[in-house]
Amino acid sequence: MRIFFGLETDSDTRRALADWRDRYGIAAGRAVPAANFHITLAFIGEVDNRRLDTLCRAVDALEPGPHGGAGKILLDQVGYWPKPGIYWAGPSQPAPELAALARKLQHVGGMVGARLEKRPFAPHVTLYRGCTEPPPAPAVLPAITLAYAHFTLFESQLGRQGASYQALEHWQLEP
Ligand code: 2AM
C-alpha cells in the first residue's frame, strides 16, 4: 500500500478553502476534491504490512512530547509548482514546529525504506493538479486558519475517480 503522514483538514477549513477556490483561486487543472484537502508531512510510499507495523510502532516509540504541540497555521498565500503541476494554498510564515514534526516523520520513514526528502519542507494544501500553466494571480488571497491537534497516517488509493485517502492511524499532539 502507498502511505504518507499528513494533517487532516476539518470540515470548516475544507469548506473555507473550497469557497475561496471557487471565488478567487481558479486554475486550469483538475480541482482536488475538498474531501482530499490535507497537508503532507512525510511521503513514505509503498510498504507491506510488516513495514507498516514497524513504522507505526516507531512513531509510538518517539519520546513523549516529541511531536511538538497542537497548533494552527494560517493559510494565507498561494503558489504554483510547475514540475508537479500543482496550485496550492499554504502559510506565508515559517511553521518551525510542523517542520520539526515533518523531519521526524521523514526520519522514521527512512527506517522502512522511504526515500529521504531533499527539498525543504513546504507545508501546502494542493488545490489543483495537472496545471500546465501558472494560474492567474488571485484578486484576494486566502486567510484560512487550519488548527491541528493530531497527525494521521493515510493510505492513498488510486481509483478511476483519482486518489482517495483513508486514515489508518492518528497520533495526538500535546494540547
Ligand atoms: P502533495 O502534498 O503536494 O499534494 C499523497 O500522494 C500525498 O503525498 C500527496 O498529497 C502528494 O503531494 C504527496 N506525494 C505524492 N508523491 C510524492 C513523492 N514522490 N514525494 C513527495 N510527496 C509525494
Side-chain angles (χ1 to χ4, degrees):
M1 66 189 82
R2 183 181 159 95
I3 59 168
F4 66 99
F5 290 103
L7 296 182
E8 292 178 311
T9 50
D10 58 88
S11 57
D12 286 350
T13 306
R14 277 201 289 274
R15 196 168 316 119
L17 278 164
D19 285 350
W20 178 87
R21 178 174 66 179
D22 288 347
R23 282 188 206 183
Y24 306 112
I26 310 295
R30 300 186 306 279
V32 171
N36 283 5
F37 288 162
H38 68 276
I39 290 182
T40 300
L41 293 170
F43 181 74
I44 307 299
E46 285 292 330
V47 294
D48 56 19
N49 281 329
R50 193 175 53 83
R51 287 188 167 185
L52 175 67
D53 197 53
T54 305
L55 182 72
C56 290
R57 300 303 69 88
V59 176
D60 290 344
L62 291 170
E63 298 287 304
H67 310 129
K72 36 183 149 172
I73 51 172
L74 178 62
L75 307 172
D76 59 349
Q77 75 168 353
V78 291
Y80 168 65
W81 291 332
K83 184 102 175 285
I86 66 170
Y87 180 38
W88 50 265
S92 64
Q93 298 303 309
E97 291 227 330
L98 215 49
L101 175 60
R103 249 194 325 274
K104 233 167 262 171
L105 295 174
Q106 283 167 12
H107 178 78
V108 175
M111 292 164 45
V112 296
R115 214 169 20 87
L116 216 62
E117 180 62 78
K118 290 188 210 82
R119 294 165 294 193
F121 176 63
H124 62 278
V125 177
T126 300
L127 301 176
Y128 286 92
R129 297 190 187 280
C131 302
T132 50
E133 302 200 356
V140 174
L141 283 169
I144 297 163
T145 300
L146 170 64
Y148 56 90
H150 65 269
F151 65 91
T152 300
L153 182 65
F154 291 98
E155 178 180 5
S156 165
Q157 289 172 331
L158 282 176
R160 239 180 288 152
Q161 313 284 343
S164 68
Y165 307 126
Q166 314 297 329
L168 298 177
E169 199 154 335
H170 300 290
W171 286 266
Q172 288 304 317
L173 294 163
E174 312 251 302

